PDB file of all heavy atoms in Angstrom:
ATOM      1  N   PHE A 322      75.673 107.040 315.392  1.00 97.00           N
ATOM      2  CA  PHE A 322      76.466 108.241 315.294  1.00 97.00           C
ATOM      3  C   PHE A 322      77.458 108.211 316.508  1.00 97.00           C
ATOM      4  O   PHE A 322      77.004 108.143 317.628  1.00 97.00           O
ATOM      5  CB  PHE A 322      75.537 109.420 315.434  1.00 97.00           C
ATOM      6  CG  PHE A 322      76.169 110.766 315.172  1.00 97.00           C
ATOM      7  CD1 PHE A 322      76.243 111.272 313.868  1.00 97.00           C
ATOM      8  CD2 PHE A 322      76.631 111.553 316.212  1.00 97.00           C
ATOM      9  CE1 PHE A 322      76.783 112.514 313.635  1.00 97.00           C
ATOM     10  CE2 PHE A 322      77.133 112.808 315.981  1.00 97.00           C
ATOM     11  CZ  PHE A 322      77.224 113.317 314.693  1.00 97.00           C
ATOM     12  N   HIS A 349      71.493 108.440 312.888  1.00 98.00           N
ATOM     13  CA  HIS A 349      71.332 108.857 314.274  1.00 98.00           C
ATOM     14  C   HIS A 349      72.072 110.193 314.394  1.00 98.00           C
ATOM     15  O   HIS A 349      73.026 110.481 313.633  1.00 98.00           O
ATOM     16  CB  HIS A 349      71.970 107.823 315.203  1.00 98.00           C
ATOM     17  CG  HIS A 349      71.249 106.532 315.267  1.00 98.00           C
ATOM     18  ND1 HIS A 349      71.359 105.648 316.342  1.00 98.00           N
ATOM     19  CD2 HIS A 349      70.493 105.889 314.364  1.00 98.00           C
ATOM     20  CE1 HIS A 349      70.632 104.587 316.041  1.00 98.00           C
ATOM     21  NE2 HIS A 349      70.115 104.717 314.884  1.00 98.00           N
ATOM     22  N   LEU A 378      69.442 111.525 319.741  1.00 97.00           N
ATOM     23  CA  LEU A 378      69.915 111.006 321.046  1.00 97.00           C
ATOM     24  C   LEU A 378      70.760 112.067 321.771  1.00 97.00           C
ATOM     25  O   LEU A 378      71.342 112.954 321.144  1.00 97.00           O
ATOM     26  CB  LEU A 378      70.756 109.774 320.787  1.00 97.00           C
ATOM     27  CG  LEU A 378      70.090 108.739 319.994  1.00 97.00           C
ATOM     28  CD1 LEU A 378      70.920 108.187 318.937  1.00 97.00           C
ATOM     29  CD2 LEU A 378      69.415 107.698 320.851  1.00 97.00           C
ATOM     30  N   ARG A 379      70.891 111.838 323.045  1.00 96.00           N
ATOM     31  CA  ARG A 379      71.833 112.665 323.795  1.00 96.00           C
ATOM     32  C   ARG A 379      73.289 112.128 323.584  1.00 96.00           C
ATOM     33  O   ARG A 379      74.207 112.865 323.375  1.00 96.00           O
ATOM     34  CB  ARG A 379      71.550 112.593 325.297  1.00 96.00           C
ATOM     35  CG  ARG A 379      72.471 113.469 326.105  1.00 96.00           C
ATOM     36  CD  ARG A 379      72.432 113.109 327.596  1.00 96.00           C
ATOM     37  NE  ARG A 379      73.058 111.848 327.853  1.00 96.00           N
ATOM     38  CZ  ARG A 379      73.182 111.315 329.062  1.00 96.00           C
ATOM     39  NH1 ARG A 379      72.679 111.935 330.125  1.00 96.00           N
ATOM     40  NH2 ARG A 379      73.771 110.124 329.235  1.00 96.00           N
ATOM     41  N   GLY A 380      73.444 110.792 323.580  1.00 94.00           N
ATOM     42  CA  GLY A 380      74.775 110.205 323.494  1.00 94.00           C
ATOM     43  C   GLY A 380      75.423 110.193 324.854  1.00 94.00           C
ATOM     44  O   GLY A 380      74.867 110.670 325.856  1.00 94.00           O
ATOM     45  N   ASP A 381      76.593 109.609 324.911  1.00 88.00           N
ATOM     46  CA  ASP A 381      77.397 109.572 326.206  1.00 88.00           C
ATOM     47  C   ASP A 381      78.763 110.127 325.951  1.00 88.00           C
ATOM     48  O   ASP A 381      79.423 109.740 324.988  1.00 88.00           O
ATOM     49  CB  ASP A 381      77.478 108.127 326.684  1.00 88.00           C
ATOM     50  CG  ASP A 381      76.155 107.585 327.086  1.00 88.00           C
ATOM     51  OD1 ASP A 381      75.507 108.196 327.936  1.00 88.00           O
ATOM     52  OD2 ASP A 381      75.762 106.500 326.545  1.00 88.00           O
ATOM     53  N   ALA A 395      68.473 114.933 325.257  1.00 97.00           N
ATOM     54  CA  ALA A 395      67.992 114.761 323.908  1.00 97.00           C
ATOM     55  C   ALA A 395      66.791 115.610 323.586  1.00 97.00           C
ATOM     56  O   ALA A 395      66.600 116.071 322.431  1.00 97.00           O
ATOM     57  CB  ALA A 395      67.663 113.280 323.698  1.00 97.00           C
ATOM     58  N   TYR A 417      63.391 103.649 327.275  1.00 98.00           N
ATOM     59  CA  TYR A 417      64.081 102.660 328.153  1.00 98.00           C
ATOM     60  C   TYR A 417      63.066 101.931 328.990  1.00 98.00           C
ATOM     61  O   TYR A 417      62.773 102.391 330.145  1.00 98.00           O
ATOM     62  CB  TYR A 417      65.113 103.383 329.021  1.00 98.00           C
ATOM     63  CG  TYR A 417      66.148 104.081 328.204  1.00 98.00           C
ATOM     64  CD1 TYR A 417      65.958 105.359 327.706  1.00 98.00           C
ATOM     65  CD2 TYR A 417      67.337 103.406 327.863  1.00 98.00           C
ATOM     66  CE1 TYR A 417      66.928 105.940 326.860  1.00 98.00           C
ATOM     67  CE2 TYR A 417      68.312 104.004 327.043  1.00 98.00           C
ATOM     68  CZ  TYR A 417      68.064 105.290 326.549  1.00 98.00           C
ATOM     69  OH  TYR A 417      69.002 105.893 325.720  1.00 98.00           O
ATOM     70  N   HIS A 421      66.535 104.257 332.109  1.00 97.00           N
ATOM     71  CA  HIS A 421      67.883 104.658 331.657  1.00 97.00           C
ATOM     72  C   HIS A 421      68.816 104.459 332.877  1.00 97.00           C
ATOM     73  O   HIS A 421      68.408 104.713 334.035  1.00 97.00           O
ATOM     74  CB  HIS A 421      67.896 106.106 331.211  1.00 97.00           C
ATOM     75  CG  HIS A 421      69.217 106.540 330.712  1.00 97.00           C
ATOM     76  ND1 HIS A 421      70.142 107.198 331.484  1.00 97.00           N
ATOM     77  CD2 HIS A 421      69.806 106.459 329.476  1.00 97.00           C
ATOM     78  CE1 HIS A 421      71.220 107.488 330.799  1.00 97.00           C
ATOM     79  NE2 HIS A 421      71.068 107.034 329.561  1.00 97.00           N
ATOM     80  N   ASP A 430      61.910 109.009 334.874  1.00 98.00           N
ATOM     81  CA  ASP A 430      62.464 108.642 333.548  1.00 98.00           C
ATOM     82  C   ASP A 430      61.374 108.644 332.468  1.00 98.00           C
ATOM     83  O   ASP A 430      61.626 109.082 331.384  1.00 98.00           O
ATOM     84  CB  ASP A 430      63.128 107.255 333.663  1.00 98.00           C
ATOM     85  CG  ASP A 430      64.242 107.086 332.639  1.00 98.00           C
ATOM     86  OD1 ASP A 430      65.039 107.989 332.466  1.00 98.00           O
ATOM     87  OD2 ASP A 430      64.275 106.005 332.010  1.00 98.00           O
ATOM     88  N   HIS A 433      60.657 112.169 331.640  1.00 98.00           N
ATOM     89  CA  HIS A 433      61.673 112.710 330.791  1.00 98.00           C
ATOM     90  C   HIS A 433      61.531 112.232 329.324  1.00 98.00           C
ATOM     91  O   HIS A 433      61.786 112.967 328.378  1.00 98.00           O
ATOM     92  CB  HIS A 433      63.101 112.332 331.301  1.00 98.00           C
ATOM     93  CG  HIS A 433      63.500 113.075 332.554  1.00 98.00           C
ATOM     94  ND1 HIS A 433      64.295 112.536 333.549  1.00 98.00           N
ATOM     95  CD2 HIS A 433      63.051 114.285 333.045  1.00 98.00           C
ATOM     96  CE1 HIS A 433      64.443 113.376 334.503  1.00 98.00           C
ATOM     97  NE2 HIS A 433      63.658 114.440 334.264  1.00 98.00           N
ATOM     98  N   LYS A 437      60.586 114.499 325.460  1.00 98.00           N
ATOM     99  CA  LYS A 437      61.126 114.350 324.057  1.00 98.00           C
ATOM    100  C   LYS A 437      59.949 114.334 323.056  1.00 98.00           C
ATOM    101  O   LYS A 437      60.051 114.872 321.969  1.00 98.00           O
ATOM    102  CB  LYS A 437      61.942 113.096 323.918  1.00 98.00           C
ATOM    103  CG  LYS A 437      63.197 113.094 324.789  1.00 98.00           C
ATOM    104  CD  LYS A 437      64.195 112.028 324.465  1.00 98.00           C
ATOM    105  CE  LYS A 437      63.995 110.728 325.161  1.00 98.00           C
ATOM    106  NZ  LYS A 437      65.152 109.817 325.066  1.00 98.00           N
TER     107      LYS A 437
HETATM  108  P1  FAD B 764      68.037 111.555 327.225  1.00 81.74           P
HETATM  109  O1  FAD B 764      66.655 111.315 326.739  1.00 81.74           O
HETATM  110  O2  FAD B 764      68.499 112.957 327.279  1.00 81.74           O
HETATM  111  O3  FAD B 764      68.090 110.868 328.719  1.00 81.74           O
HETATM  112  C1  FAD B 764      69.337 110.708 329.360  1.00 81.74           C
HETATM  113  C2  FAD B 764      69.133 110.722 330.900  1.00 81.74           C
HETATM  114  O4  FAD B 764      68.811 112.054 331.280  1.00 81.74           O
HETATM  115  C3  FAD B 764      67.978 109.844 331.382  1.00 81.74           C
HETATM  116  O5  FAD B 764      68.345 109.286 332.600  1.00 81.74           O
HETATM  117  C4  FAD B 764      66.848 110.826 331.563  1.00 81.74           C
HETATM  118  O6  FAD B 764      65.904 110.433 332.556  1.00 81.74           O
HETATM  119  C5  FAD B 764      67.604 112.077 332.022  1.00 81.74           C
HETATM  120  N1  FAD B 764      66.905 113.296 331.694  1.00 81.74           N
HETATM  121  C6  FAD B 764      66.343 113.679 330.551  1.00 81.74           C
HETATM  122  N2  FAD B 764      65.834 114.884 330.617  1.00 81.74           N
HETATM  123  C7  FAD B 764      66.117 115.382 331.840  1.00 81.74           C
HETATM  124  C8  FAD B 764      65.879 116.609 332.540  1.00 81.74           C
HETATM  125  N3  FAD B 764      65.248 117.634 331.956  1.00 81.74           N
HETATM  126  N4  FAD B 764      66.389 116.733 333.796  1.00 81.74           N
HETATM  127  C9  FAD B 764      67.036 115.738 334.408  1.00 81.74           C
HETATM  128  N5  FAD B 764      67.278 114.527 333.796  1.00 81.74           N
HETATM  129  C10 FAD B 764      66.841 114.337 332.543  1.00 81.74           C
HETATM  130  N6  FAD B 764      74.413 106.594 321.567  1.00 81.74           N
HETATM  131  C11 FAD B 764      75.261 107.151 320.668  1.00 81.74           C
HETATM  132  O7  FAD B 764      76.249 107.725 321.077  1.00 81.74           O
HETATM  133  N7  FAD B 764      75.031 107.063 319.287  1.00 81.74           N
HETATM  134  C12 FAD B 764      73.978 106.422 318.791  1.00 81.74           C
HETATM  135  O8  FAD B 764      73.859 106.355 317.573  1.00 81.74           O
HETATM  136  C13 FAD B 764      73.062 105.807 319.697  1.00 81.74           C
HETATM  137  N8  FAD B 764      71.924 105.230 319.259  1.00 81.74           N
HETATM  138  C14 FAD B 764      70.993 104.724 320.125  1.00 81.74           C
HETATM  139  C15 FAD B 764      69.787 104.160 319.639  1.00 81.74           C
HETATM  140  C16 FAD B 764      68.820 103.708 320.512  1.00 81.74           C
HETATM  141  C17 FAD B 764      67.573 103.131 319.953  1.00 81.74           C
HETATM  142  C18 FAD B 764      69.091 103.745 321.939  1.00 81.74           C
HETATM  143  C19 FAD B 764      68.065 103.175 322.867  1.00 81.74           C
HETATM  144  C20 FAD B 764      70.228 104.269 322.448  1.00 81.74           C
HETATM  145  C21 FAD B 764      71.227 104.782 321.508  1.00 81.74           C
HETATM  146  N9  FAD B 764      72.414 105.382 321.981  1.00 81.74           N
HETATM  147  C22 FAD B 764      73.281 105.926 321.106  1.00 81.74           C
HETATM  148  C23 FAD B 764      72.694 105.433 323.454  1.00 81.74           C
HETATM  149  C24 FAD B 764      72.241 106.772 324.112  1.00 81.74           C
HETATM  150  O9  FAD B 764      72.892 107.876 323.554  1.00 81.74           O
HETATM  151  C25 FAD B 764      72.485 106.646 325.581  1.00 81.74           C
HETATM  152  O10 FAD B 764      71.592 105.697 326.114  1.00 81.74           O
HETATM  153  C26 FAD B 764      72.478 107.925 326.389  1.00 81.74           C
HETATM  154  O11 FAD B 764      72.942 107.676 327.691  1.00 81.74           O
HETATM  155  C27 FAD B 764      71.062 108.559 326.558  1.00 81.74           C
HETATM  156  O12 FAD B 764      70.589 109.081 325.409  1.00 81.74           O
HETATM  157  P2  FAD B 764      69.059 109.609 325.337  1.00 81.74           P
HETATM  158  O13 FAD B 764      68.874 110.159 323.996  1.00 81.74           O
HETATM  159  O14 FAD B 764      68.121 108.539 325.750  1.00 81.74           O
HETATM  160  O15 FAD B 764      69.133 110.747 326.442  1.00 81.74           O
END
Side-chain angles (χ1 to χ4, degrees):
F322 188 87
H349 294 201
L378 306 136
R379 183 196 69 179
D381 292 306
Y417 300 86
H421 183 267
D430 206 43
H433 290 151
K437 297 193 272 195

